[in-house]
Amino acid sequence: MSIFLTLVIVFLTLISFIGEWFSVDITAIAVMVLLMALGLVTPEEGISGFGNSATITVMAMFILSAGIARTGAIGVVNDLLLKWGGKHSTKQILAIGIITGPISALINNTAVVAVFLPVVEEWCQKQRISPSKLLMPLSFVTILGGMLTTIGTSTNVLASGLSEKLGYGTFSLFQFTELGLIVFTIGLAYLTFIAPRLLPNRKIKNNDTVAQDYDLKDYVSEIVVARSSNLVGQTLRQSKLQRKFDLDVLEIIRNDNHFPQPLADKLLQVGDILMVRGGKECLLKVKDEKGIEFLPHIQFYDKSWEQNLSSGEESIAEVLILSNSNLIGSTLKDIRFRQRYNATVLAIRRGEELVRDRLGKVNLRFGDVLLLQGPKESFLGLQTSRDLLFIGDRDLETLRRDKAGIAVAIGLGVVLVTAFGILPIVVSALIGVLLMVVTGCLKSGEVYQAVRWDIIFLLAGLIPLGIAMDKSGTTVWLAQNLVAIGGNLSGYWLLTLFYVVTIFITEVLSNNASVVLLLPVAVEVAKSLSFNPMAFILVVTFAASSSFMTPIGYQTNTMVYSPGGYKFVDFARVGAPLSLLMALIVPPLIIILYGL
């Protein structure tokens, strides 16, 4: 019965992840509670994930990565990227790989992409290159770079903790660096010489025609307050123009004077010209109820609107919703976005989809790109937001550059102390976190902001599932059935089977979930057939981080999805051959390097 209940929970977990009924962290916590309620784990075992060394280490690595990024330490390589990149796609991708790959081995790759995404975009604009040619390779090389060390990804840290629990010890810092270097080199060669032929060549973005890129021609209009309008003598707040209708007032023009945000308390007069964002149906409703008149259509394509903005106090910019953003799942109306950031959302880009109507009711997702209009000074605050990544000119950004050397020294110190076995990873990482705060590289409040709590709760919630699978005998039962099915397969083909299965589970679930579910099963299969368990541990660990075929399988893929203007199938076209290549080379390399 316990095996049956555990399998039912595993099945429901898979369905919830695939169907996206809830966010992955909420699903994981629900699993934890259900396991305790059914008695499959004790309360102590149920909450043990929060005190697990893997969970604490991952949390500490997020903070260390933020400290290094916040001081601008990895931003100093921007000049190298511009210097080495040139104008040819082969050289550009090679430069990105050589620079960002090794950094991803020591810093969380999500933080690396967050830093380099606007850098690569700016580079593309200067060189007249389509971002779609470079942003997917940026994501892929950081994924490959994360497999160079144990601390490169949260998956590696979790696999190390599971390995210890299963009796095979934690991974050393460079446990699989030799394998990682070979895989990284082969993967970078594929991205450099083959991927450019498969990558799409989307329209080159031009800062002077952002409105055209977002096709705002039918969504931004100028209306006039007529003499008979009931808006006369009211403020925007009193008129409820923005609250009642799906309409945003971007600017008020009165006798050639332009009034920017905030506008809520501005009294409206006869003849005022309002620049508004809203669909045609919405504008017709406003016309009938409020008594306004339409001006001839704004000529977006002569760039007049955006030139007027850039020459004044207002501007437009793009921001990306980050994976740990508090905005995810909320609507613009729920969070009072305009009041909170003093900027108005003109459109939302979601992968290949453009959302320009009923924006206030759209539930925001990780990876959404928001096109904003607002005072230029408001964008300074956006550049230091924990929820949004500012894409574009970052000259306004205030970084603690005087602390960059200290942050790098702390990061290297953590690596060296761990590498020489002086202290365990979890201890050295926590010391590094403390030093980041004491030295001023991070403020105390930024420590909590740096952590991806969704990943922490995902780990804490799934670790008890692994305990339940072990206690109930589910792991052994699954292994016995796999042995019965594949008992006649050679060690190479069994490794390949686990690699392929792990890849597909990673693409539809998450890399951490696939490790929790499959690593114990792989070890049991190896023990039953007298193979080297460490070989099976490594094959699952590597496969779990090899998410190249979808934009949702790995967080860095999601981050570049919208900014690159990609379609869902673009990832399959470029990533599937890379996944196949990895499936062909990783199992035999593991056999050669670690034995079977």
Side-chain angles (χ1 to χ4, degrees), residues 581-594:
L581 179 62
M582 294 295 110
L584 292 174
I585 65 171
V586 170
L589 282 173
I590 288 176
I591 293 173
I592 293 170
L593 295 174
Y594 302 96

Side-chain angles (χ1 to χ4, degrees), residues 53-68 104-109 111 149-154 157 173 410-411 414-415 418 425-426 428-430 432-433 436 442 450-452 456:
S53 61
T55 307
I56 302 300
T57 303
V58 169
M59 183 173 66
M61 295 313 300
F62 280 133
I63 299 170
L64 289 173
S65 297
I68 294 173
S104 300
L106 303 175
I107 300 176
N108 179 265
N109 50 15
T149 66
T150 298
I151 61 175
T153 71
S154 60
V157 176
L173 184 62
I410 293 171
V414 171
V415 171
T418 303
I425 293 177
V426 63
S428 61
L430 288 173
V433 167
M436 283 288 184
L442 277 179
V451 179
R452 278 197 60 191
I456 299 303

Side-chain angles (χ1 to χ4, degrees), residues 33 71 78 107 109 147 164 262 330 348 356 393 443 467 479 498 518 550 571:
V33 173
T71 58
N78 294 2
I107 300 176
N109 50 15
M147 296 307 300
E164 180 182 28
S330 301
I348 300 174
R356 290 152 301 194
D393 185 359
K443 295 180 180 179
I467 296 174
F498 270 101
L518 291 179
T550 72
F571 282 85

